[in-house]
Amino acid sequence: FFLQTVEMDDIVNTIGDNLQVVFNNLSFLDVTPIKNLMSPLADQAAIVSESAGLPIDQVNFLLLFFLSYPLALIHRQIWNPTIRHLFSAVFGILTVIYMVGNDFYHSLFTALVTYIILVVVRNPFGTKLIWFWAFGYMFASHIYRMYIDYMGWKVDFTIVQMVFTLKFCALACNLQDGNFPQRELTSLQKRYSISSPPNPLEYFSYLYYWCTILPGPFFEYTDYKAFIERTLFKDGKIPAGSFKAFALIWARLVFVIAGVFLAFTYHPSFMWNDTEYAMSMDIFTRWALVMFGFACLRSSYYTGWLMSEAAVILSGFGFNGNDAQGNVRWDRLRNIDILDVEFGTSLKGMIAAWNKGTAHFLKVYVYFRVTKPRAKEGQDPKKLKGLSAPQGQLLVFVVSALWHGCYPGYYYFFLISFFMNYIGAYFAKRISPLFANSSKVVQFLFGVVCWVVSMSALNYGALSFVALSHYHATTALSNVYWLGHILTVALFVFAVVDPIRPKRKKN
């Protein structure tokens, strides 16, 4: 019996049948009637999808974004914090139900389990348990998605689960920090720490904040609470200028959306779907088309993040103090710096400017917590516990890959990105200072070379990220002769050996 071959389909079908029996007994939990109340919006989405030829899930995304703007204006007029929390939680939950139906219960179930752990197990073990629970459930969700929608890009519950995972883990760390002696905490840990779990309404309001429930970004609970309670603002009033900031966001969106439509024609997928077409060009034309295709493809991410940021600004949460000139800043939840990505001169800077909310989480809750802290006065650096900086960076890339999903392409991308980032930091240290006192023309030309190299490195790695599967990723990389890997290995060895290291002067 134990040697019989068990088919994956049989296992899944058996589990599905058993779950269906359970669901039949829990029919009162079916959210379909609630979703049907939003059928007028669904009907409009279907009309737009058919006339524009766009996938229905993308049209739903856009309609929900547009709907979030008047909701943001209503939210900013509510002065009672309890009602504001309730408003955020209700409309966030309705947004998730509209997009994924009964799969909404994935987010609710994981949120309830996490909250129980937060309340009951208030010690470092509880923090580890929440990390294991959050990332374990999300990883299982990614595997399930691969099974039911292999190589698909359809919007499903995992997009919500990914943002929730970051919030679960951050809250666990914040609560742990709040119960540690203050002298043992860094300035960031003190800023984000909480002494007790949020009450249920505050908790679900933070998780389901409707302006960021689908595209993100991640944000801190303490910032969100200050926004809801109006302690984020002087005298409790949202400063003037949010409508101007909203208009400026949409001015950028006009140009970005053009790239979205170009992406349908100039998609880099020809590198793995049409080898004959790819190889009909010389290597330089082929790579130029890849570079342009990825620039257009990134526009689809920019669109979602900018539309979300616009809603955040209207609600007032975008307020981020004043700059040196006294001008109000509205970039608290800015998730992308487009110019730094598209025209950056270092791979490190490009990565830092992309998906900034997740980058913030990885830096604060992964990198800073696993690497050796800076030695304080009187401390012996050799006695400090923790990973080295390169080891911490490698762990950050691994966690990021796990967070994104289970496709091999994600792991290929983040692994080579680690080595490319290491190489970039080395040459920034050894080569860049040589041009510090050069003429402006020479510095400009050096900057152009750095941009070409950095953008090529980013797009080379992104071939695997977008291709997803092992076969498609290796096909795309073969069509550029694995040049990125060859150069990465050679330059990494060069950086480790460091033959151009300045000689130390003898006393």
Side-chain angles (χ1 to χ4, degrees), residues 467-488:
L468 298 179
S469 72
H470 171 76
Y471 175 75
H472 284 166
T474 53
T475 299
L477 298 174
S478 297
N479 287 339
V480 286
Y481 314 117
W482 297 85
L483 288 175
H485 282 77
I486 296 171
L487 288 172
T488 297

Side-chain angles (χ1 to χ4, degrees), residues 347-348 351 367 371 387-401 409-427 457-458 460-462 484-485 488-489 491-493 495-496:
L347 182 62
K348 180 181 179 180
I351 293 174
Y367 182 79
T371 54
L387 303 178
S388 65
Q391 290 171 335
Q393 290 167 4
L394 178 59
L395 181 61
V396 164
F397 282 112
V398 171
V399 172
S400 186
Y410 294 142
Y411 297 86
Y412 300 161
F413 167 72
F414 285 108
L415 183 60
I416 196 171
S417 292
F418 163 74
F419 290 103
M420 288 177 170
N421 195 51
Y422 184 94
I423 294 166
Y426 169 78
F427 281 102
L458 180 66
Y460 181 84
H485 282 77
T488 297
V489 171
L491 293 175
F492 181 75
V493 172
V496 172

Side-chain angles (χ1 to χ4, degrees), residues 372-376 378-386:
K372 292 181 180 179
R374 291 184 179 181
K376 297 179 181 179
Q379 284 185 319
D380 184 358
K382 295 181 180 179
K383 293 183 179 180
L384 295 175
K385 296 181 180 180

Side-chain angles (χ1 to χ4, degrees), residues 65 69 211 215-217 245-246 248-257 298-313 333-338:
F65 279 133
Y69 300 149
C211 287
F246 173 84
L248 291 174
I249 291 289
W250 268 94
R252 280 185 283 169
L253 270 166
V254 171
F255 295 97
V256 169
I257 291 174
R298 285 191 293 271
S299 297
S300 59
Y301 292 90
Y302 298 156
T303 300
W305 287 332
L306 288 176
M307 293 183 80
S308 175
E309 184 183 352
V312 167
I313 289 173
L333 265 62
R334 177 164 296 171
N335 206 31
I336 185 68
D337 283 324
I338 298 176

Side-chain angles (χ1 to χ4, degrees), residues 136-321:
Y137 195 97
M138 186 190 62
F139 192 75
S141 300
H142 283 312
I143 293 176
Y144 174 71
R145 172 175 178 160
M146 287 180 66
Y147 180 77
I148 64 171
D149 188 28
Y150 185 70
M151 298 294 289
W153 288 92
K154 184 176 65 175
V155 175
D156 66 358
F157 73 94
T158 58
I159 192 172
V160 177
Q161 207 62 42
M162 290 173 72
V163 179
F164 271 36
T165 297
L166 304 185
K167 292 182 177 180
F168 294 156
C169 295
L171 276 174
C173 292
N174 298 154
L175 184 59
Q176 175 181 296
D177 293 341
N179 291 279
F180 274 6
Q182 291 293 296
R183 64 179 182 277
E184 297 181 14
L185 303 179
T186 65
S187 58
L188 276 177
Q189 289 171 340
K190 291 177 183 178
R191 176 182 172 184
Y192 300 134
S193 65
I194 53 177
S195 58
S196 61
N199 66 47
L201 180 58
E202 292 171 338
Y203 176 69
F204 284 103
S205 172
Y206 169 63
L207 292 178
Y208 284 101
Y209 176 54
W210 87 97
C211 287
T212 63
I213 186 64
L214 294 177
F218 164 80
F219 53 88
E220 298 286 353
Y221 171 72
T222 51
D223 289 345
Y224 179 72
K225 187 177 181 182
F227 158 64
I228 293 293
E229 296 178 353
R230 292 296 193 262
T231 57
L232 186 66
F233 316 106
K234 186 178 179 180
D235 300 325
K237 297 180 180 179
I238 300 176
S242 59
F243 295 102
K244 179 180 178 182
F246 173 84
L248 291 174
I249 291 289
W250 268 94
R252 280 185 283 169
L253 270 166
V254 171
F255 295 97
V256 169
I257 291 174
V260 175
F261 288 99
L262 287 173
F264 289 106
T265 304
Y266 299 99
H267 196 281
S269 58
F270 75 91
M271 289 293 290
W272 57 86
N273 284 333
D274 195 349
T275 296
E276 184 178 353
Y277 171 68
M279 300 306 288
S280 67
M281 300 175 258
D282 61 81
I283 183 65
F284 298 104
T285 304
R286 193 183 319 153
W287 190 245
L289 192 55
V290 169
M291 296 272 276
F292 182 72
F294 272 115
C296 296
L297 183 59
R298 285 191 293 271
S299 297
S300 59
Y301 292 90
Y302 298 156
T303 300
W305 287 332
L306 288 176
M307 293 183 80
S308 175
E309 184 183 352
V312 167
I313 289 173
L314 276 185
S315 71
F317 195 15
F319 174 71
N320 197 23

Side-chain angles (χ1 to χ4, degrees), residues 92-161:
I93 290 172
L94 288 175
T95 298
V96 178
I97 289 175
Y98 176 77
M99 288 297 297
V100 300
N102 284 314
D103 281 346
F104 144 78
Y105 283 111
H106 287 283
S107 64
L108 180 63
F109 174 64
T110 51
L112 289 173
V113 173
T114 301
Y115 191 73
I116 292 172
I117 299 173
L118 280 173
V119 173
V120 177
V121 193
R122 294 173 59 178
N123 54 43
F125 174 73
T127 302
K128 295 182 178 67
L129 187 60
I130 287 176
W131 274 75
F132 179 79
W133 162 250
F135 269 89
Y137 195 97
M138 186 190 62
F139 192 75
S141 300
H142 283 312
I143 293 176
Y144 174 71
R145 172 175 178 160
M146 287 180 66
Y147 180 77
I148 64 171
D149 188 28
Y150 185 70
M151 298 294 289
W153 288 92
K154 184 176 65 175
V155 175
D156 66 358
F157 73 94
T158 58
I159 192 172
V160 177
Q161 207 62 42

